[in-house]
Amino acid sequence: MRMSQQGGSRLLGVAPEDREDRLLAPSIYGYARLLPGADAALELSRVRRKLTGFAGGRGFALMGVMLLERPGDRLEVWGELLWSCRLFGVSDVVVPSLAHLHEDETLAQFMCEDVARWINGRVWIVGTRGPVVAAPAQELGVMAR
């Protein structure tokens, strides 16, 4: 994976050579934020490993991860995620946990549903209980792909 700075976010991109054998796989973007009190280097490594493993294990090609580094840049990074999904026709997003969307679980669930609606797709939450999919007009629930 390579990293590039974009405004208030860092895009953790997947190098093209890492995607060569997955050209026909459905694309997925990742989203994460640096959690309060977390060591940035350790968190980046953990997020990269977790999302890459999730995507590969579910047959997705991870196109990149939008990383929120500063809380004040949330709307900018959120906009980059939605714009990228719409521009490239990506209808799946994965986040490491609900806490990466927002510290308040109710707001995090709302954000999950909002992204699913904007991209007309699904948001996968990787967590201890397995993936959770939020699809338009559906409640959050445990589902298998």
Side-chain angles (χ1 to χ4, degrees):
M1 295 186 112
R2 65 178 188 273
M3 292 184 262
S4 65
Q5 193 70 30
Q6 293 186 348
S9 72
R10 182 179 299 174
L11 174 64
L12 302 178
V14 180
E17 60 272 13
D18 295 340
R19 294 192 309 242
E20 285 179 8
D21 60 337
R22 315 232 14 219
L23 291 176
L24 299 177
S27 298
I28 192 168
Y29 271 106
Y31 174 85
R33 70 181 176 102
L34 289 180
L35 299 175
D39 176 86
L42 290 175
E43 184 71 4
L44 288 174
S45 175
R46 186 184 70 76
V47 163
R48 181 180 314 151
R49 189 172 51 253
K50 197 170 193 178
L51 297 185
T52 300
F54 174 89
R58 302 289 186 300
F60 287 106
L62 184 64
M63 302 309 292
V65 179
M66 301 293 180
L67 179 68
L68 176 64
E69 294 185 294
R70 296 182 300 268
D73 295 327
R74 186 184 310 257
L75 289 178
E76 179 183 346
V77 176
W78 203 246
E80 289 174 14
L81 174 66
L82 297 177
W83 179 83
S84 295
C85 286
R86 285 184 157 188
L87 179 66
F88 298 111
V90 175
S91 59
D92 288 283
V93 170
V94 61
V95 294
S97 68
L98 279 176
H100 280 270
L101 292 170
H102 201 278
E103 52 276 357
D104 180 282
E105 188 173 339
T106 301
L107 288 175
Q109 289 178 352
F110 171 78
M111 292 171 75
C112 187
E113 293 166 2
D114 195 45
V115 169
R117 183 175 46 83
W118 274 96
I119 66 172
N120 195 27
R122 301 174 293 191
V123 178
W124 297 80
I125 309 294
V126 180
T128 56
R129 298 176 305 172
V132 175
V133 179
Q138 293 181 353
E139 303 257 337
L140 286 174
V142 177
M143 299 174 69
R145 179 162 195 256

